[in-house]
Amino acid sequence: MSTAPTPPTADDSPVEWKDRKRHLWLLGLIPPTSVFLAMLLVAGFNAIGHGLDVVSPVWWWIGPILVYVLLPILDVFFGPDGSNPPEELMEQLENDKYYRYCTYIYIPFQIASLVMACYLWTADDLGWLGIDGGLGLASKIGLALSIGAMGGIGINTAHELGHKKDDLERWLSKITLAQTFYGHFFIEHNRGHHVRVATPEDPASSRFGESFWRFLPRSVWGSLKSSVELERKRLERADKPFWHPSNDVLNAWAMSIVLWGALTAIFGWEILPFLVIQAVYGFSLLETVNYLEHYGLLRQKTATGRYERCTPEHSWNSDHICTNIFLYHLQRHSDHHANPTRRYQTLRSFDGAPNLPSGYASMITLAYFPPVWRRVMDRRVLDHYDGDVERVNIAPHRRERVLAEHGVSPR
């Protein structure tokens, strides 16, 4: 494993530190190559037979298996990361281009997997995989969800690239978002969410007592409206009409239209239901992560009436190493909000930040079951605020009830 550069410190003693995850970041290529792995497993199980051919279609569901089963198990098995880069090496680690290439290479594999899925959805002779005829409906849906999982994780890749100032990386971010038709995320996340995070005005910050199923449509629709409004105001300041080629919301959506249109022209209309399934599932994975990142956390207002600056205490963190690798340190969310342009390899874990009981992958499943989620998380929110429920970002429809439960009169 390679050693990061070690410049001399003030006392001329070299800083010794090894990035033990340097080569592990390549494991982030598992999601965009998982469909090809599924094909190998299906072909292998069918070739072996002896009952294995009966269960081989399960592998078309490799994406959900990875998200809901494998990653949570690996997080428990390997535990926390616990490795922060030293301050003295931050600049050199930031400028090491190896790390950005690890994100760039995700994109061609993502596109190749999407094209392969379109072929598999429409092929009527898959004998070379040991399948009589084409895929059954259950296998096609499983494949759509696997492609959606790749697209959802791809949104996180786009998130990493979209925060950078380099034009190439911002362009690559839009390309990555094209699969899930979520190009407006590029605008709303950077110029909306990062400004309003952990406030009632932010559609992507979940509220205490709000279920994921109530949060999902609020965040999807609210983020869409916000991105359009943000871009409209930007263009107005530049004396340009909304329907201008430089509108980043419209040109991001145009990439999706071109991509989906090309795939439909090549493979036929029958792929469209599966493209919709993968897109909805993909951006719902993103929104699940949004849900758990700021649940119940609230920036307080200062004497001027403005919200306090975002600090590490306004994001839920986790430092489990496996999900760290698959999501490019997204779990170190406090440092990300403090330093949005900082590259993933230099993000740090803060001891003072509120921490989730497990990795993001495990918490995604928990979020789908509101009673279980609230039993696990509500007390953690209150503990974070020393029991002061008035400092919590409470869902409006539950505000009176929550305050009454804690003996506080609504104002």
Side-chain angles (χ1 to χ4, degrees):
M1 191 171 291
S2 62
T3 305
T6 54
T9 59
D11 61 0
D12 293 327
S13 299
V15 176
E16 295 184 3
W17 182 76
K18 291 184 178 180
D19 180 9
R20 62 192 181 97
K21 298 194 294 287
R22 182 178 178 88
H23 300 298
L24 294 180
W25 293 114
L26 292 173
L27 294 176
L29 295 178
I30 289 177
T33 59
S34 60
V35 167
F36 295 102
L37 175 60
M39 291 167 59
L40 288 174
L41 291 169
V42 168
F45 275 45
N46 286 337
I48 294 171
H50 302 293
L52 291 179
D53 53 329
V54 176
V55 300
S56 67
V58 171
W59 293 114
W60 297 119
W61 296 74
I62 193 169
I65 291 171
L66 175 67
V67 172
Y68 302 121
V69 180
L70 185 59
L71 271 179
I73 291 174
L74 291 175
D75 270 341
V76 172
F77 184 80
F78 288 101
D81 187 333
S83 174
N84 278 339
E87 192 67 36
E88 295 88 345
L89 302 184
M90 282 293 202
E91 183 177 354
Q92 292 179 359
L93 196 58
E94 276 273 328
N95 294 329
D96 188 338
K97 291 187 176 181
Y98 163 81
Y99 293 95
R100 66 189 71 178
Y101 295 151
C102 288
T103 57
Y104 295 174
I105 200 172
Y106 189 103
I107 301 169
F109 283 115
Q110 176 186 4
I111 295 172
S113 293
L114 179 60
V115 172
M116 177 56 72
C118 290
Y119 162 73
L120 293 170
W121 285 324
T122 56
D124 54 13
D125 182 8
L126 294 174
W128 58 281
L129 289 175
I131 299 172
D132 293 330
L135 296 181
L137 180 60
S139 294
K140 289 181 178 181
I141 292 174
L143 177 58
L145 295 179
S146 293
I147 289 295
M150 175 189 73
I153 297 173
I155 294 177
N156 182 60
T157 306
H159 166 261
E160 169 65 23
L161 296 170
H163 270 295
K164 305 304 173 282
K165 298 178 181 179
D166 183 85
D167 288 341
L168 171 63
E169 290 180 288
R170 294 165 72 85
W171 185 72
L172 291 174
S173 175
K174 293 182 185 179
I175 292 177
T176 310
L177 292 167
Q179 173 191 330
T180 49
F181 230 109
Y182 226 56
H184 57 279
F185 171 82
F186 174 83
I187 297 299
E188 162 55 21
H189 180 82
N190 292 345
R191 287 161 39 200
H193 173 65
H194 271 264
V195 173
R196 300 181 298 239
V197 62
T199 70
E201 291 76 24
D202 181 31
S205 292
S206 59
R207 300 158 178 171
F208 186 88
E210 181 180 35
S211 73
F212 167 70
W213 304 108
R214 189 163 185 143
F215 166 81
L216 178 61
R218 180 175 73 83
S219 183
V220 170
W221 180 243
S223 297
L224 174 60
K225 289 196 301 180
S226 175
S227 66
V228 170
E229 183 64 16
L230 286 167
E231 197 61 358
R232 182 186 65 79
K233 290 181 178 178
R234 182 186 71 84
L235 291 168
E236 281 183 355
R237 291 192 297 269
D239 291 326
K240 294 179 180 178
F242 180 80
W243 300 97
H244 191 274
S246 64
N247 185 319
D248 281 329
V249 172
L250 296 183
N251 58 46
W253 287 344
M255 289 185 180
S256 294
I257 293 171
V258 170
L259 175 62
W260 285 35
L263 292 174
T264 302
I266 296 169
F267 296 101
W269 292 97
E270 60 189 285
I271 68 170
L272 284 178
F274 302 108
L275 286 179
V276 171
I277 290 172
Q278 65 83 24
V280 172
Y281 180 61
F283 71 66
S284 74
L285 280 179
L286 161 77
E287 296 296 354
T288 315
V289 172
N290 277 339
Y291 176 76
L292 59 90
E293 284 176 335
H294 306 284
Y295 178 75
L297 302 179
L298 179 65
R299 286 156 58 195
Q300 308 302 312
K301 287 190 175 181
T302 65
T304 64
R306 298 171 65 89
Y307 287 107
E308 64 181 329
R309 184 178 179 181
C310 185
T311 66
E313 70 178 43
H314 298 121
S315 301
W316 289 100
N317 288 260
S318 174
D319 203 30
H320 286 70
I321 188 168
C322 286
T323 305
N324 266 354
I325 291 168
F326 275 81
L327 295 183
Y328 302 118
H329 272 163
L330 182 66
Q331 298 182 128
R332 295 182 171 185
H333 211 58
S334 291
D335 198 8
H336 168 65
H337 271 279
N339 304 280
T341 61
R342 177 170 286 173
R343 295 188 180 275
Y344 69 92
Q345 67 268 22
T346 59
L347 291 175
R348 300 157 298 176
S349 178
F350 289 115
D351 291 335
N355 275 279
L356 296 168
S358 188
Y360 276 18
S362 302
M363 301 304 292
I364 285 174
T365 303
L366 208 64
Y368 295 154
F369 302 95
V372 181
W373 171 267
R374 294 200 62 204
R375 191 174 300 119
V376 171
M377 288 301 300
D378 282 10
R379 63 181 176 83
R380 284 180 165 81
V381 174
L382 293 173
D383 288 347
H384 178 60
Y385 289 112
D386 298 320
D388 187 353
V389 70
E390 293 188 280
R391 296 170 61 195
V392 175
N393 186 7
I394 305 174
H397 72 285
R398 294 189 61 91
R399 184 171 182 80
E400 289 190 12
R401 179 178 174 180
V402 170
L403 293 177
E405 287 174 351
H406 292 84
V408 178
S409 300
R411 290 182 289 180

